[in-house]
Amino acid sequence: AQSVTQLDSQVPVFEEAPVELRCNYSSSVSVYLFWYVQYPNQGLQLLLKYLSGSTLVKGINGFEAEFNKSQTSFHLRKPSVHISDTAEYFCAVSENKAAGNKLTFGGGTRVLVKP
Amino acid sequence: KAGVTQTPRYLIKTRGQQVTLSCSPISGHRSVSWYQQTPGQGLQFLFEYFSETQRNKGNFPGRFSGRQFSNSRSEMNVSTLELGDSALYLCASSPPSATDTQYFGPGTRLTVL
Protein backbone atom coordinates (compact mmCIF):
# COMPACT_ATOMS: atom_id res chain seq x y z
CA ALA A 1 0.00 0.00 0.00
CA GLN A 2 1.09 3.54 -0.66
CA SER A 3 0.64 6.73 1.29
CA VAL A 4 1.26 10.37 0.44
CA THR A 5 1.99 13.22 2.83
CA GLN A 6 1.75 16.85 1.85
CA LEU A 7 3.58 18.64 4.57
CA ASP A 8 1.82 22.00 4.31
CA SER A 9 -1.95 22.32 4.36
CA GLN A 10 -1.82 26.02 3.44
CA VAL A 11 0.82 28.16 1.78
CA PRO A 12 0.34 31.93 1.52
CA VAL A 13 2.65 33.58 -1.00
CA PHE A 14 2.97 37.00 -2.59
CA GLU A 15 2.48 37.48 -6.29
CA GLU A 16 5.70 37.04 -8.33
CA ALA A 17 7.40 35.23 -5.43
CA PRO A 18 8.55 31.60 -5.73
CA VAL A 19 6.62 28.76 -4.16
CA GLU A 20 7.48 25.19 -3.20
CA LEU A 21 4.91 22.58 -2.22
CA ARG A 22 6.29 19.57 -0.44
CA CYS A 23 5.23 15.98 -1.02
CA ASN A 24 6.61 12.78 0.48
CA TYR A 25 5.40 9.31 -0.31
CA SER A 26 5.72 5.81 1.05
CA SER A 27 5.52 2.67 -1.05
CA SER A 28 6.96 -0.82 -1.10
CA VAL A 29 6.85 -0.93 -4.90
CA SER A 30 7.89 1.31 -7.74
CA VAL A 31 5.46 4.18 -8.29
CA TYR A 32 4.41 6.85 -10.71
CA LEU A 33 4.06 10.36 -9.27
CA PHE A 34 1.65 13.15 -10.16
CA TRP A 35 0.68 16.67 -9.24
CA TYR A 36 -2.87 17.87 -9.84
CA VAL A 37 -4.45 21.30 -9.32
CA GLN A 38 -8.06 21.94 -8.36
CA TYR A 39 -9.66 25.36 -8.83
CA PRO A 40 -12.84 26.17 -6.90
CA ASN A 41 -15.87 24.16 -8.00
CA GLN A 42 -13.87 22.26 -10.58
CA GLY A 43 -12.34 18.84 -11.07
CA LEU A 44 -8.64 18.02 -11.03
CA GLN A 45 -6.25 19.18 -13.74
CA LEU A 46 -2.97 17.36 -14.32
CA LEU A 47 0.04 19.64 -13.84
CA LEU A 48 2.82 17.12 -14.41
CA LYS A 49 3.84 13.53 -13.92
CA TYR A 50 6.94 11.44 -13.31
CA LEU A 51 7.03 7.98 -14.81
CA SER A 52 10.74 7.35 -15.34
CA GLY A 53 13.86 9.00 -16.72
CA SER A 54 14.92 12.52 -15.83
CA THR A 55 14.13 13.35 -12.23
CA LEU A 56 13.28 16.98 -13.08
CA VAL A 57 9.85 17.15 -14.64
CA LYS A 58 8.38 20.24 -16.27
CA GLY A 59 4.64 20.74 -16.41
CA ILE A 60 2.05 23.25 -17.49
CA ASN A 61 1.75 26.85 -16.28
CA GLY A 62 5.45 27.09 -15.42
CA PHE A 63 5.43 24.40 -12.72
CA GLU A 64 8.17 21.83 -12.28
CA ALA A 65 8.84 19.02 -9.82
CA GLU A 66 11.85 16.98 -8.81
CA PHE A 67 11.72 13.28 -7.96
CA ASN A 68 14.13 12.27 -5.21
CA LYS A 69 14.10 8.53 -4.74
CA SER A 70 16.37 8.45 -1.69
CA GLN A 71 14.18 10.95 0.14
CA THR A 72 10.95 9.58 -1.37
CA SER A 73 9.93 13.12 -2.25
CA PHE A 74 8.33 14.86 -5.22
CA HIS A 75 8.27 18.58 -4.43
CA LEU A 76 6.51 21.03 -6.73
CA ARG A 77 7.98 24.44 -7.52
CA LYS A 78 7.17 27.56 -9.46
CA PRO A 79 9.69 30.44 -9.67
CA SER A 80 7.09 33.22 -9.88
CA VAL A 81 3.43 32.80 -9.01
CA HIS A 82 0.41 34.68 -10.33
CA ILE A 83 -2.90 35.47 -8.68
CA SER A 84 -4.44 32.84 -10.95
CA ASP A 85 -2.33 30.14 -9.24
CA THR A 86 -4.56 30.39 -6.19
CA ALA A 87 -5.96 26.87 -5.92
CA GLU A 88 -5.56 23.57 -4.11
CA TYR A 89 -2.74 21.29 -5.19
CA PHE A 90 -2.68 17.52 -4.78
CA CYS A 91 0.25 15.14 -4.95
CA ALA A 92 -0.64 11.57 -5.95
CA VAL A 93 1.01 8.21 -6.56
CA SER A 94 0.03 5.08 -8.38
CA GLU A 95 1.71 1.71 -8.59
CA ASN A 96 4.04 1.24 -11.54
CA LYS A 97 2.21 -1.69 -13.03
CA ALA A 98 0.77 -2.58 -16.36
CA ALA A 99 -2.84 -2.99 -15.40
CA GLY A 100 -5.06 -0.80 -13.38
CA ASN A 101 -5.37 2.80 -12.32
CA LYS A 102 -5.63 3.70 -8.69
CA LEU A 103 -4.36 7.04 -7.46
CA THR A 104 -3.53 7.59 -3.80
CA PHE A 105 -3.70 11.28 -2.96
CA GLY A 106 -2.14 13.47 -0.34
CA GLY A 107 -4.31 15.74 1.76
CA GLY A 108 -3.79 18.75 -0.48
CA THR A 109 -2.08 22.13 -0.12
CA ARG A 110 -4.08 25.33 -0.48
CA VAL A 111 -2.06 28.07 -2.14
CA LEU A 112 -3.24 31.62 -1.63
CA VAL A 113 -1.45 34.16 -3.80
CA LYS A 114 -1.61 37.67 -2.40
CA PRO A 115 -1.15 40.84 -4.47
CA LYS B 1 -11.81 16.80 -28.07
CA ALA B 2 -14.45 17.03 -25.38
CA GLY B 3 -13.33 16.35 -21.84
CA VAL B 4 -14.79 14.00 -19.27
CA THR B 5 -18.40 14.90 -18.61
CA GLN B 6 -20.38 14.10 -15.50
CA THR B 7 -24.10 14.39 -14.92
CA PRO B 8 -25.76 15.75 -12.98
CA ARG B 9 -23.43 18.40 -11.60
CA TYR B 10 -25.44 18.88 -8.42
CA LEU B 11 -27.79 16.54 -6.60
CA ILE B 12 -29.72 16.68 -3.34
CA LYS B 13 -31.07 13.49 -1.80
CA THR B 14 -32.39 12.41 1.58
CA ARG B 15 -31.11 9.65 3.83
CA GLY B 16 -32.15 6.18 2.77
CA GLN B 17 -32.60 7.06 -0.89
CA GLN B 18 -30.39 5.78 -3.67
CA VAL B 19 -28.61 7.76 -6.36
CA THR B 20 -27.02 7.10 -9.75
CA LEU B 21 -24.26 9.29 -11.16
CA SER B 22 -23.11 9.20 -14.76
CA CYS B 23 -19.73 9.69 -16.39
CA SER B 24 -18.84 9.93 -20.07
CA PRO B 25 -15.11 9.51 -20.67
CA ILE B 26 -13.03 11.27 -23.29
CA SER B 27 -13.59 9.69 -26.70
CA GLY B 28 -11.33 6.67 -27.14
CA HIS B 29 -10.66 6.23 -23.42
CA ARG B 30 -11.62 2.81 -22.08
CA SER B 31 -10.65 3.09 -18.43
CA VAL B 32 -12.92 4.97 -16.06
CA SER B 33 -12.17 5.52 -12.37
CA TRP B 34 -14.30 7.04 -9.62
CA TYR B 35 -13.16 9.00 -6.57
CA GLN B 36 -14.91 10.50 -3.58
CA GLN B 37 -13.73 13.86 -2.23
CA THR B 38 -14.76 15.04 1.23
CA PRO B 39 -13.29 17.68 3.56
CA GLY B 40 -12.59 15.06 6.22
CA GLN B 41 -11.25 12.12 4.23
CA GLY B 42 -9.87 13.92 1.19
CA LEU B 43 -9.71 12.16 -2.15
CA GLN B 44 -10.37 8.43 -1.99
CA PHE B 45 -10.45 5.85 -4.76
CA LEU B 46 -13.76 4.04 -5.23
CA PHE B 47 -13.28 1.74 -8.22
CA GLU B 48 -12.02 1.48 -11.78
CA TYR B 49 -13.66 -0.08 -14.82
CA PHE B 50 -11.98 -1.20 -18.00
CA SER B 51 -13.79 -2.83 -20.91
CA GLU B 52 -16.95 -3.25 -18.82
CA THR B 53 -15.09 -5.08 -16.02
CA GLN B 54 -14.20 -3.81 -12.59
CA ARG B 55 -10.42 -3.87 -12.50
CA ASN B 56 -9.67 -2.23 -9.16
CA LYS B 57 -11.71 -1.54 -6.07
CA GLY B 58 -11.19 0.77 -3.11
CA ASN B 59 -12.19 0.29 0.49
CA PHE B 60 -15.83 1.33 0.41
CA PRO B 61 -18.92 -0.57 1.60
CA GLY B 62 -21.06 -2.58 -0.79
CA ARG B 63 -23.58 0.26 -0.96
CA PHE B 64 -21.26 1.79 -3.52
CA SER B 65 -21.35 0.05 -6.87
CA GLY B 66 -20.63 0.84 -10.46
CA ARG B 67 -20.78 -0.42 -13.97
CA GLN B 68 -19.44 0.37 -17.40
CA PHE B 69 -21.21 0.10 -20.72
CA SER B 70 -19.88 -1.01 -24.07
CA ASN B 71 -19.39 2.62 -25.14
CA SER B 72 -17.16 3.11 -22.03
CA ARG B 73 -19.68 5.35 -20.28
CA SER B 74 -19.88 4.53 -16.59
CA GLU B 75 -22.38 4.89 -13.81
CA MET B 76 -21.94 4.65 -10.09
CA ASN B 77 -24.76 3.91 -7.70
CA VAL B 78 -25.02 4.54 -3.99
CA SER B 79 -27.86 2.81 -2.18
CA THR B 80 -29.31 3.61 1.24
CA LEU B 81 -27.69 7.02 1.38
CA GLU B 82 -26.13 8.23 4.62
CA LEU B 83 -25.29 11.79 5.64
CA GLY B 84 -21.61 10.93 5.32
CA ASP B 85 -22.03 10.19 1.63
CA SER B 86 -22.25 13.92 0.98
CA ALA B 87 -19.24 14.59 -1.21
CA LEU B 88 -17.89 15.58 -4.57
CA TYR B 89 -17.74 12.48 -6.77
CA LEU B 90 -15.10 12.68 -9.44
CA CYS B 91 -14.77 10.53 -12.50
CA ALA B 92 -11.53 10.14 -14.46
CA SER B 93 -10.67 8.42 -17.72
CA SER B 94 -7.40 7.15 -19.18
CA PRO B 95 -6.32 6.72 -22.78
CA PRO B 96 -5.01 3.41 -24.14
CA SER B 97 -1.71 5.10 -25.01
CA ALA B 98 -1.08 6.36 -21.49
CA THR B 99 -2.97 4.21 -19.05
CA ASP B 100 -0.97 5.71 -16.21
CA THR B 101 -2.54 9.16 -16.65
CA GLN B 102 -6.04 10.05 -15.54
CA TYR B 103 -8.09 13.00 -16.79
CA PHE B 104 -10.78 14.21 -14.45
CA GLY B 105 -14.28 15.50 -14.99
CA PRO B 106 -15.81 18.43 -13.08
CA GLY B 107 -17.50 16.16 -10.56
CA THR B 108 -20.99 15.69 -9.19
CA ARG B 109 -21.72 17.41 -5.89
CA LEU B 110 -24.00 15.16 -3.85
CA THR B 111 -25.70 16.51 -0.75
CA VAL B 112 -27.54 14.09 1.53
CA LEU B 113 -30.06 15.64 3.92
Side-chain angles (χ1 to χ4, degrees), chain A residues 21-25 32-35 48-51 55-57 64-68 71-76 91-93:
Chain A
L21 308 184
R22 297 179 292 169
C23 172
N24 286 92
Y25 69 94
Y32 295 141
L33 295 151
F34 305 84
W35 276 99
L48 48 78
K49 62 183 179 182
Y50 172 80
L51 306 180
T55 57
L56 182 62
V57 181
E64 63 180 33
E66 185 152 21
F67 169 57
N68 187 319
Q71 297 186 6
T72 60
S73 68
F74 191 54
H75 301 333
L76 181 71
C91 180
V93 302

mmCIF file of all heavy atoms in Angstrom, chain A residues 21-25 32-35 48-51 55-57 64-68 71-76 91-93:
data_model
loop_
_atom_site.group_PDB
_atom_site.id
_atom_site.type_symbol
_atom_site.label_atom_id
_atom_site.label_comp_id
_atom_site.label_asym_id
_atom_site.label_seq_id
_atom_site.Cartn_x
_atom_site.Cartn_y
_atom_site.Cartn_z
ATOM 1 N N LEU A 21 5.864 23.426 -2.932
ATOM 2 C CA LEU A 21 4.912 22.583 -2.219
ATOM 3 C C LEU A 21 5.552 21.218 -2.024
ATOM 4 O O LEU A 21 6.002 20.591 -2.981
ATOM 5 C CB LEU A 21 3.605 22.443 -3.029
ATOM 6 C CG LEU A 21 2.959 23.748 -3.495
ATOM 7 C CD1 LEU A 21 1.628 23.449 -4.185
ATOM 8 C CD2 LEU A 21 2.779 24.715 -2.358
ATOM 9 N N ARG A 22 5.563 20.786 -0.767
ATOM 10 C CA ARG A 22 6.291 19.575 -0.441
ATOM 11 C C ARG A 22 5.399 18.331 -0.445
ATOM 12 O O ARG A 22 4.259 18.380 0.024
ATOM 13 C CB ARG A 22 6.969 19.739 0.920
ATOM 14 C CG ARG A 22 8.009 20.860 0.940
ATOM 15 C CD ARG A 22 8.623 20.989 2.304
ATOM 16 N NE ARG A 22 7.672 21.484 3.286
ATOM 17 C CZ ARG A 22 7.895 21.481 4.596
ATOM 18 N NH1 ARG A 22 9.043 21.003 5.071
ATOM 19 N NH2 ARG A 22 6.991 21.956 5.438
ATOM 20 N N CYS A 23 5.960 17.246 -0.944
ATOM 21 C CA CYS A 23 5.235 15.978 -1.024
ATOM 22 C C CYS A 23 6.211 14.843 -0.736
ATOM 23 O O CYS A 23 7.258 14.741 -1.375
ATOM 24 C CB CYS A 23 4.622 15.795 -2.411
ATOM 25 S SG CYS A 23 3.897 14.166 -2.709
ATOM 26 N N ASN A 24 5.843 13.996 0.206
ATOM 27 C CA ASN A 24 6.606 12.781 0.480
ATOM 28 C C ASN A 24 5.676 11.580 0.338
ATOM 29 O O ASN A 24 4.490 11.671 0.661
ATOM 30 C CB ASN A 24 7.200 12.818 1.888
ATOM 31 C CG ASN A 24 8.373 13.760 1.972
ATOM 32 O OD1 ASN A 24 8.211 14.925 2.286
ATOM 33 N ND2 ASN A 24 9.548 13.253 1.658
ATOM 34 N N TYR A 25 6.221 10.483 -0.124
ATOM 35 C CA TYR A 25 5.395 9.306 -0.310
ATOM 36 C C TYR A 25 6.054 8.087 0.313
ATOM 37 O O TYR A 25 7.248 8.082 0.609
ATOM 38 C CB TYR A 25 5.132 9.051 -1.803
ATOM 39 C CG TYR A 25 6.364 8.606 -2.555
ATOM 40 C CD1 TYR A 25 6.644 7.260 -2.742
ATOM 41 C CD2 TYR A 25 7.251 9.542 -3.064
ATOM 42 C CE1 TYR A 25 7.782 6.847 -3.407
ATOM 43 C CE2 TYR A 25 8.400 9.148 -3.725
ATOM 44 C CZ TYR A 25 8.658 7.809 -3.900
ATOM 45 O OH TYR A 25 9.794 7.410 -4.548
ATOM 46 N N TYR A 32 4.492 5.652 -9.879
ATOM 47 C CA TYR A 32 4.411 6.846 -10.713
ATOM 48 C C TYR A 32 3.971 7.986 -9.789
ATOM 49 O O TYR A 32 3.236 7.770 -8.827
ATOM 50 C CB TYR A 32 3.367 6.680 -11.805
ATOM 51 C CG TYR A 32 3.660 5.604 -12.826
ATOM 52 C CD1 TYR A 32 2.640 4.804 -13.325
ATOM 53 C CD2 TYR A 32 4.945 5.405 -13.324
ATOM 54 C CE1 TYR A 32 2.880 3.822 -14.276
ATOM 55 C CE2 TYR A 32 5.195 4.427 -14.274
ATOM 56 C CZ TYR A 32 4.160 3.646 -14.746
ATOM 57 O OH TYR A 32 4.395 2.677 -15.682
ATOM 58 N N LEU A 33 4.376 9.207 -10.111
ATOM 59 C CA LEU A 33 4.059 10.359 -9.273
ATOM 60 C C LEU A 33 3.401 11.463 -10.081
ATOM 61 O O LEU A 33 3.770 11.696 -11.243
ATOM 62 C CB LEU A 33 5.341 10.901 -8.629
ATOM 63 C CG LEU A 33 5.993 9.916 -7.656
ATOM 64 C CD1 LEU A 33 7.482 10.127 -7.593
ATOM 65 C CD2 LEU A 33 5.390 10.070 -6.272
ATOM 66 N N PHE A 34 2.440 12.137 -9.465
ATOM 67 C CA PHE A 34 1.648 13.149 -10.163
ATOM 68 C C PHE A 34 1.408 14.354 -9.253
ATOM 69 O O PHE A 34 1.372 14.229 -8.024
ATOM 70 C CB PHE A 34 0.268 12.576 -10.546
ATOM 71 C CG PHE A 34 0.315 11.311 -11.344
ATOM 72 C CD1 PHE A 34 0.451 10.082 -10.717
ATOM 73 C CD2 PHE A 34 0.221 11.354 -12.720
ATOM 74 C CE1 PHE A 34 0.492 8.906 -11.453
ATOM 75 C CE2 PHE A 34 0.257 10.185 -13.469
ATOM 76 C CZ PHE A 34 0.393 8.960 -12.831
ATOM 77 N N TRP A 35 1.230 15.506 -9.898
ATOM 78 C CA TRP A 35 0.677 16.673 -9.240
ATOM 79 C C TRP A 35 -0.547 17.125 -10.022
ATOM 80 O O TRP A 35 -0.512 17.240 -11.250
ATOM 81 C CB TRP A 35 1.679 17.827 -9.188
ATOM 82 C CG TRP A 35 2.633 17.764 -8.038
ATOM 83 C CD1 TRP A 35 3.910 17.302 -8.044
ATOM 84 C CD2 TRP A 35 2.386 18.196 -6.696
ATOM 85 N NE1 TRP A 35 4.471 17.418 -6.794
ATOM 86 C CE2 TRP A 35 3.547 17.963 -5.945
ATOM 87 C CE3 TRP A 35 1.281 18.772 -6.044
ATOM 88 C CZ2 TRP A 35 3.660 18.285 -4.585
ATOM 89 C CZ3 TRP A 35 1.382 19.089 -4.705
ATOM 90 C CH2 TRP A 35 2.561 18.845 -3.987
ATOM 91 N N LEU A 48 1.662 17.844 -13.915
ATOM 92 C CA LEU A 48 2.824 17.121 -14.409
ATOM 93 C C LEU A 48 2.851 15.724 -13.817
ATOM 94 O O LEU A 48 2.098 15.422 -12.882
ATOM 95 C CB LEU A 48 4.120 17.865 -14.065
ATOM 96 C CG LEU A 48 4.327 18.373 -12.640
ATOM 97 C CD1 LEU A 48 4.726 17.274 -11.692
ATOM 98 C CD2 LEU A 48 5.354 19.509 -12.604
ATOM 99 N N LYS A 49 3.724 14.899 -14.396
ATOM 100 C CA LYS A 49 3.845 13.525 -13.923
ATOM 101 C C LYS A 49 5.272 13.036 -14.083
ATOM 102 O O LYS A 49 6.001 13.487 -14.973
ATOM 103 C CB LYS A 49 2.898 12.599 -14.692
ATOM 104 C CG LYS A 49 3.179 12.527 -16.193
ATOM 105 C CD LYS A 49 2.156 11.641 -16.895
ATOM 106 C CE LYS A 49 2.421 11.599 -18.402
ATOM 107 N NZ LYS A 49 1.402 10.774 -19.110
ATOM 108 N N TYR A 50 5.663 12.120 -13.190
ATOM 109 C CA TYR A 50 6.939 11.441 -13.306
ATOM 110 C C TYR A 50 6.659 9.958 -13.477
ATOM 111 O O TYR A 50 6.014 9.331 -12.632
ATOM 112 C CB TYR A 50 7.815 11.656 -12.061
ATOM 113 C CG TYR A 50 9.051 10.806 -12.103
ATOM 114 C CD1 TYR A 50 10.155 11.180 -12.864
ATOM 115 C CD2 TYR A 50 9.111 9.584 -11.430
ATOM 116 C CE1 TYR A 50 11.278 10.376 -12.932
ATOM 117 C CE2 TYR A 50 10.229 8.773 -11.489
ATOM 118 C CZ TYR A 50 11.305 9.179 -12.248
ATOM 119 O OH TYR A 50 12.414 8.376 -12.324
ATOM 120 N N LEU A 51 7.168 9.414 -14.578
ATOM 121 C CA LEU A 51 7.030 7.975 -14.812
ATOM 122 C C LEU A 51 8.382 7.295 -14.716
ATOM 123 O O LEU A 51 8.526 6.238 -14.106
ATOM 124 C CB LEU A 51 6.397 7.724 -16.188
ATOM 125 C CG LEU A 51 5.071 8.442 -16.461
ATOM 126 C CD1 LEU A 51 4.562 8.103 -17.853
ATOM 127 C CD2 LEU A 51 4.031 8.085 -15.425
ATOM 128 N N THR A 55 14.819 13.114 -13.499
ATOM 129 C CA THR A 55 14.132 13.346 -12.225
ATOM 130 C C THR A 55 13.510 14.733 -12.151
ATOM 131 O O THR A 55 12.705 15.000 -11.271
ATOM 132 C CB THR A 55 15.095 13.162 -11.052
ATOM 133 O OG1 THR A 55 16.207 14.047 -11.221
ATOM 134 C CG2 THR A 55 15.593 11.731 -10.987
ATOM 135 N N LEU A 56 13.880 15.640 -13.042
ATOM 136 C CA LEU A 56 13.277 16.976 -13.080
ATOM 137 C C LEU A 56 12.203 16.970 -14.162
ATOM 138 O O LEU A 56 12.485 16.761 -15.336
ATOM 139 C CB LEU A 56 14.335 18.036 -13.368
ATOM 140 C CG LEU A 56 13.829 19.486 -13.376
ATOM 141 C CD1 LEU A 56 13.285 19.870 -11.995
ATOM 142 C CD2 LEU A 56 14.940 20.444 -13.794
ATOM 143 N N VAL A 57 10.989 17.227 -13.738
ATOM 144 C CA VAL A 57 9.853 17.152 -14.640
ATOM 145 C C VAL A 57 9.241 18.540 -14.797
ATOM 146 O O VAL A 57 8.980 19.220 -13.797
ATOM 147 C CB VAL A 57 8.781 16.187 -14.093
ATOM 148 C CG1 VAL A 57 7.603 16.097 -15.047
ATOM 149 C CG2 VAL A 57 9.368 14.805 -13.852
ATOM 150 N N GLU A 64 7.253 22.937 -12.120
ATOM 151 C CA GLU A 64 8.170 21.826 -12.275
ATOM 152 C C GLU A 64 8.275 21.073 -10.958
ATOM 153 O O GLU A 64 7.934 21.607 -9.889
ATOM 154 C CB GLU A 64 9.561 22.286 -12.719
ATOM 155 C CG GLU A 64 10.269 23.169 -11.734
ATOM 156 C CD GLU A 64 11.647 23.592 -12.236
ATOM 157 O OE1 GLU A 64 11.829 23.755 -13.460
ATOM 158 O OE2 GLU A 64 12.541 23.748 -11.392
ATOM 159 N N ALA A 65 8.707 19.823 -11.032
ATOM 160 C CA ALA A 65 8.844 19.021 -9.821
ATOM 161 C C ALA A 65 10.075 18.150 -9.955
ATOM 162 O O ALA A 65 10.493 17.790 -11.063
ATOM 163 C CB ALA A 65 7.613 18.151 -9.596
ATOM 164 N N GLU A 66 10.657 17.816 -8.814
ATOM 165 C CA GLU A 66 11.847 16.982 -8.811
ATOM 166 C C GLU A 66 11.612 15.722 -8.007
ATOM 167 O O GLU A 66 11.204 15.785 -6.836
ATOM 168 C CB GLU A 66 13.050 17.736 -8.243
ATOM 169 C CG GLU A 66 14.349 16.942 -8.346
ATOM 170 C CD GLU A 66 15.566 17.828 -8.451
ATOM 171 O OE1 GLU A 66 15.466 19.007 -8.057
ATOM 172 O OE2 GLU A 66 16.613 17.345 -8.920
ATOM 173 N N PHE A 67 11.864 14.584 -8.621
ATOM 174 C CA PHE A 67 11.722 13.284 -7.964
ATOM 175 C C PHE A 67 13.033 12.957 -7.260
ATOM 176 O O PHE A 67 14.109 13.000 -7.865
ATOM 177 C CB PHE A 67 11.396 12.210 -9.004
ATOM 178 C CG PHE A 67 11.479 10.806 -8.486
ATOM 179 C CD1 PHE A 67 10.715 10.416 -7.394
ATOM 180 C CD2 PHE A 67 12.306 9.865 -9.086
ATOM 181 C CE1 PHE A 67 10.779 9.120 -6.910
ATOM 182 C CE2 PHE A 67 12.374 8.556 -8.618
ATOM 183 C CZ PHE A 67 11.616 8.194 -7.524
ATOM 184 N N ASN A 68 12.951 12.659 -5.981
ATOM 185 C CA ASN A 68 14.127 12.272 -5.213
ATOM 186 C C ASN A 68 13.833 10.914 -4.591
ATOM 187 O O ASN A 68 13.103 10.811 -3.606
ATOM 188 C CB ASN A 68 14.432 13.317 -4.133
ATOM 189 C CG ASN A 68 15.738 13.050 -3.427
ATOM 190 O OD1 ASN A 68 16.061 11.902 -3.117
ATOM 191 N ND2 ASN A 68 16.514 14.097 -3.196
ATOM 192 N N GLN A 71 14.993 10.260 -0.868
ATOM 193 C CA GLN A 71 14.182 10.948 0.142
ATOM 194 C C GLN A 71 12.697 10.704 -0.055
ATOM 195 O O GLN A 71 11.886 11.262 0.689
ATOM 196 C CB GLN A 71 14.473 12.454 0.102
ATOM 197 C CG GLN A 71 15.914 12.797 0.450
ATOM 198 C CD GLN A 71 16.153 14.290 0.559
ATOM 199 O OE1 GLN A 71 15.229 15.092 0.493
ATOM 200 N NE2 GLN A 71 17.412 14.677 0.708
ATOM 201 N N THR A 72 12.349 9.872 -1.011
ATOM 202 C CA THR A 72 10.949 9.583 -1.373
ATOM 203 C C THR A 72 10.123 10.862 -1.405
ATOM 204 O O THR A 72 9.072 10.972 -0.756
ATOM 205 C CB THR A 72 10.312 8.541 -0.433
ATOM 206 O OG1 THR A 72 10.332 9.021 0.917
ATOM 207 C CG2 THR A 72 11.030 7.218 -0.533
ATOM 208 N N SER A 73 10.619 11.839 -2.171
ATOM 209 C CA SER A 73 9.925 13.121 -2.255
ATOM 210 C C SER A 73 9.668 13.490 -3.706
ATOM 211 O O SER A 73 10.326 13.007 -4.625
ATOM 212 C CB SER A 73 10.739 14.214 -1.568
ATOM 213 O OG SER A 73 11.922 14.476 -2.289
ATOM 214 N N PHE A 74 8.700 14.368 -3.879
ATOM 215 C CA PHE A 74 8.335 14.857 -5.217
ATOM 216 C C PHE A 74 7.786 16.265 -5.024
ATOM 217 O O PHE A 74 6.599 16.516 -5.137
ATOM 218 C CB PHE A 74 7.309 13.922 -5.856
ATOM 219 C CG PHE A 74 7.044 14.174 -7.318
ATOM 220 C CD1 PHE A 74 8.088 14.213 -8.237
ATOM 221 C CD2 PHE A 74 5.747 14.337 -7.788
ATOM 222 C CE1 PHE A 74 7.843 14.424 -9.587
ATOM 223 C CE2 PHE A 74 5.492 14.550 -9.138
ATOM 224 C CZ PHE A 74 6.539 14.584 -10.032
ATOM 225 N N HIS A 75 8.674 17.200 -4.734
ATOM 226 C CA HIS A 75 8.265 18.575 -4.427
ATOM 227 C C HIS A 75 7.966 19.363 -5.702
ATOM 228 O O HIS A 75 8.678 19.240 -6.695
ATOM 229 C CB HIS A 75 9.355 19.288 -3.625
ATOM 230 C CG HIS A 75 9.681 18.609 -2.327
ATOM 231 N ND1 HIS A 75 8.784 17.833 -1.633
ATOM 232 C CD2 HIS A 75 10.827 18.607 -1.598
ATOM 233 C CE1 HIS A 75 9.339 17.379 -0.526
ATOM 234 N NE2 HIS A 75 10.584 17.830 -0.480
ATOM 235 N N LEU A 76 6.956 20.203 -5.599
ATOM 236 C CA LEU A 76 6.510 21.031 -6.728
ATOM 237 C C LEU A 76 6.996 22.454 -6.538
ATOM 238 O O LEU A 76 6.926 22.990 -5.426
ATOM 239 C CB LEU A 76 4.977 21.009 -6.796
ATOM 240 C CG LEU A 76 4.306 21.797 -7.927
ATOM 241 C CD1 LEU A 76 4.537 21.121 -9.271
ATOM 242 C CD2 LEU A 76 2.809 21.949 -7.662
ATOM 243 N N CYS A 91 -0.780 16.082 -4.537
ATOM 244 C CA CYS A 91 0.246 15.142 -4.953
ATOM 245 C C CYS A 91 -0.387 13.748 -4.929
ATOM 246 O O CYS A 91 -1.201 13.452 -4.031
ATOM 247 C CB CYS A 91 1.432 15.218 -3.987
ATOM 248 S SG CYS A 91 2.802 14.123 -4.348
ATOM 249 N N ALA A 92 -0.038 12.906 -5.893
ATOM 250 C CA ALA A 92 -0.640 11.566 -5.953
ATOM 251 C C ALA A 92 0.371 10.552 -6.468
ATOM 252 O O ALA A 92 1.299 10.906 -7.203
ATOM 253 C CB ALA A 92 -1.875 11.563 -6.852
ATOM 254 N N VAL A 93 0.170 9.300 -6.073
ATOM 255 C CA VAL A 93 1.010 8.210 -6.564
ATOM 256 C C VAL A 93 0.128 7.083 -7.060
ATOM 257 O O VAL A 93 -1.017 6.929 -6.637
ATOM 258 C CB VAL A 93 1.955 7.668 -5.472
ATOM 259 C CG1 VAL A 93 2.842 8.755 -4.922
ATOM 260 C CG2 VAL A 93 1.179 6.990 -4.359
#
